[in-house]
Amino acid sequence: MKTGLVVDGDYVYEEEKHLTVLKTSLFFANDGFTVYDCKGQLVFRVDSYGPDPRDKAEVVLMDAHGRCLLTVRKKRPSLHHRWEGFLGERTEGQKPIFSVKRSSIIGRCGMTVEVFNNPGLEYQIEGNFGQRSCTIFNAAKESVAEIKRKVDASTNVVLGKDVFLLSLKPGFDGAFAMGLVLVLDQINGDDYVENAEAEMIPATED
């Protein structure tokens, strides 16, 4: 049943799974997350790590009990916003299990995910994370996970971008998928900071 990269087998499901992802701050990109299943049970959490994405280059994904599942870390220097994923809480000298790099223009979330020690296993992320509309494809171009806006079932109203769905196909590890969400959120926050800085730089004349 297990297919692709598995961070933690406890989060590989036999049936399609829909998780609700909630950002714990409405004011900044790159704040914390809580993730719930359809029964309202906490599945993952990410503690707040500050309003400025440059303050901290590491983000840790934890289970409901605070156990570290995955660390994502920005690789420096990197021309393509390359991020790396490490099993558990990263230690000095530890080798990453995957990396993510930008493969498209700023503002889009075209990303290539390379899995180490597993030749031929890679993923593509297409869409726009800022709009909460992304699809993760495997090497065979099959959809393995989706990020999409959440609709309130009782009112049929689309909820704000701080609440969204992470839909997992059978066999795709939810912890790995959530790690990719953290990378996308970090890159989206980097774009926000860079664009704001560019707007603040006054034009100069010779």
Side-chain angles (χ1 to χ4, degrees), residues 5-78:
L5 177 63
V6 176
V7 171
D8 192 310
D10 289 345
Y11 303 102
V12 177
Y13 306 103
E14 294 184 359
E15 298 180 351
E16 189 165 335
K17 189 85 167 178
H18 302 286
L19 302 177
T20 297
V21 184
L22 172 65
K23 280 183 73 74
T24 54
S25 170
L26 307 182
F27 304 105
F28 302 106
N30 311 93
D31 272 326
F33 289 93
T34 49
V35 184
Y36 301 90
D37 64 16
C38 60
K39 297 178 182 178
Q41 298 293 313
L42 182 65
V43 181
F44 304 116
R45 66 184 178 92
V46 179
D47 289 343
S48 177
Y49 41 95
D52 189 335
R54 295 170 301 178
D55 287 344
K56 189 171 178 67
E58 280 193 4
V59 190
V60 178
L61 176 70
M62 295 177 285
D63 67 10
H65 307 290
R67 179 172 63 97
C68 297
L69 300 172
L70 182 71
T71 301
V72 294
R73 181 174 188 267
K74 188 172 187 177
K75 185 174 183 180
R76 297 181 185 278
S78 174

Side-chain angles (χ1 to χ4, degrees), residues 128-154:
N128 189 321
F129 180 75
Q131 298 299 319
R132 306 298 188 249
S133 178
C134 288
T135 303
I136 302 171
F137 296 96
N138 61 17
K141 284 295 182 182
E142 299 167 330
S143 171
V144 292
E146 283 186 82
I147 298 163
K148 50 192 175 184
R149 299 286 290 273
K150 186 175 175 67
V151 177
D152 186 297
S154 60

